[in-house]
Amino acid sequence: SQQGEEDPQALSIQEGENATMNCSYKTSINNLQWYRQNSGRGLVHLILIRSNEREKHSGRLRVTLDTSKKSSSLLITASRAADTASYFCATESGYSTLTFGKGTMLLVSP
Amino acid sequence: EAGVVQSPRYKIIEKKQPVAFWCNPISGHNTLYWYLQNLGQGPELLIRYENEEAVDDSQLPKDRFSAERLKGVDSTLKIQPAELGDSAVYLCASSLGGRAGETQYFGPGTRLLVL
């Protein structure tokens, strides 16, 4: 079963623009993670935010978490064509068990 | 350092045939996961191993799916017999010790097509 629900399902932007993806979930969590999946390849871990954190940065990535609204957002600043991929949020509620959302497909055009 | 290795990368079989997928996790990683990813969906956990013990197989359809990790290193996931609805990508992942907040490292997956 899917816990997270990403929004939008697809996003198309130009290089240099910022991309924002949102994730909503249903149950209480220990942490929330974002993964990237390039076409036909495995997932790559991007960033983790714990339930007691509200914002986290890593390079061009900024993640926010609002546990009262059960939602998170991923911001990619100054997008590049290489950022084209599907992005998934995954919540961890129990013992290292991840529950993934359906993902957002991001297309960054040169 | 080598990542998670999976084989085969692609497999096409006819329905009712058996199929097996192999995964070799990152060296030293005690926890191994098998996920199923349908088209347009996120991965869904099938089974999680801590060393050779399956500690969470609640989502594994046990009537046709089986998995093993006999020596606590590499693992095999089997489907017998395969059905049309099993067409999907099967992902293997590993992590160091299976603790909360630990990063899971994914392999490239095996893309299965059942005809």
Side-chain angles (χ1 to χ4, degrees), chain A:
Chain A
S1 62
Q2 310 275 184
Q3 150 98 296
E5 194 77 30
E6 285 91 340
D7 170 59
Q9 288 187 334
L11 181 60
S12 181
I13 60 174
Q14 299 290 122
E15 263 190 331
E17 294 180 341
N18 295 341
T20 299
M21 289 159 263
N22 303 296
C23 169
S24 60
Y25 57 92
K26 299 173 184 174
T27 63
S28 61
I29 61 173
N30 294 332
N31 62 71
L32 185 145
Q33 304 178 33
W34 285 90
Y35 283 78
R36 182 186 70 221
Q37 186 175 37
N38 293 92
S39 179
R41 301 180 68 176
L43 287 90
V44 174
H45 181 264
L46 295 176
I47 193 167
L48 178 152
I49 186 165
R50 302 186 191 284
S51 59
N52 61 353
E53 297 176 311
R54 292 296 168 258
E55 187 171 313
K56 203 160 182 181
H57 298 255
S58 176
R60 295 184 295 112
L61 305 179
R62 173 178 170 256
V63 171
T64 63
L65 179 64
D66 187 335
T67 53
S68 66
K69 295 181 179 179
K70 291 187 169 58
S71 67
S72 173
S73 68
L74 171 68
L75 168 68
I76 305 173
T77 59
S79 296
R80 306 165 181 167
D83 294 327
T84 294
S86 290
Y87 291 81
F88 295 89
C89 69
T91 55
E92 186 174 74
S93 303
Y95 186 60
S96 78
T97 298
L98 290 180
T99 305
F100 286 84
K102 294 182 179 181
T104 293
M105 292 179 57
L106 173 65
L107 174 63
V108 182
S109 302

Side-chain angles (χ1 to χ4, degrees), chain B residues 87-109:
Chain B
S87 295
V89 177
Y90 292 82
L91 294 166
C92 179
S94 69
S95 66
L96 201 57
R99 289 183 293 274
E102 224 166 54
T103 297
Q104 294 185 24
Y105 296 85
F106 284 79

Side-chain angles (χ1 to χ4, degrees), chain B residues 38-98:
Chain B
N38 287 305
L39 188 64
Q41 304 288 315
E44 297 181 49
L45 180 69
L46 290 172
I47 190 168
R48 176 167 66 93
Y49 281 94
E50 294 290 341
N51 298 302
E52 64 275 8
E53 182 183 358
V55 296
D56 184 356
D57 63 355
S58 57
Q59 301 303 312
L60 188 73
K62 298 181 183 64
D63 56 337
R64 297 183 301 106
F65 286 65
S66 65
E68 60 183 19
R69 193 186 184 199
L70 294 176
K71 296 182 180 179
V73 180
D74 59 337
S75 175
T76 301
L77 177 68
K78 298 178 182 177
I79 308 174
Q80 182 169 11
E83 297 179 352
L84 296 177
D86 296 331
S87 295
V89 177
Y90 292 82
L91 294 166
C92 179
S94 69
S95 66
L96 201 57

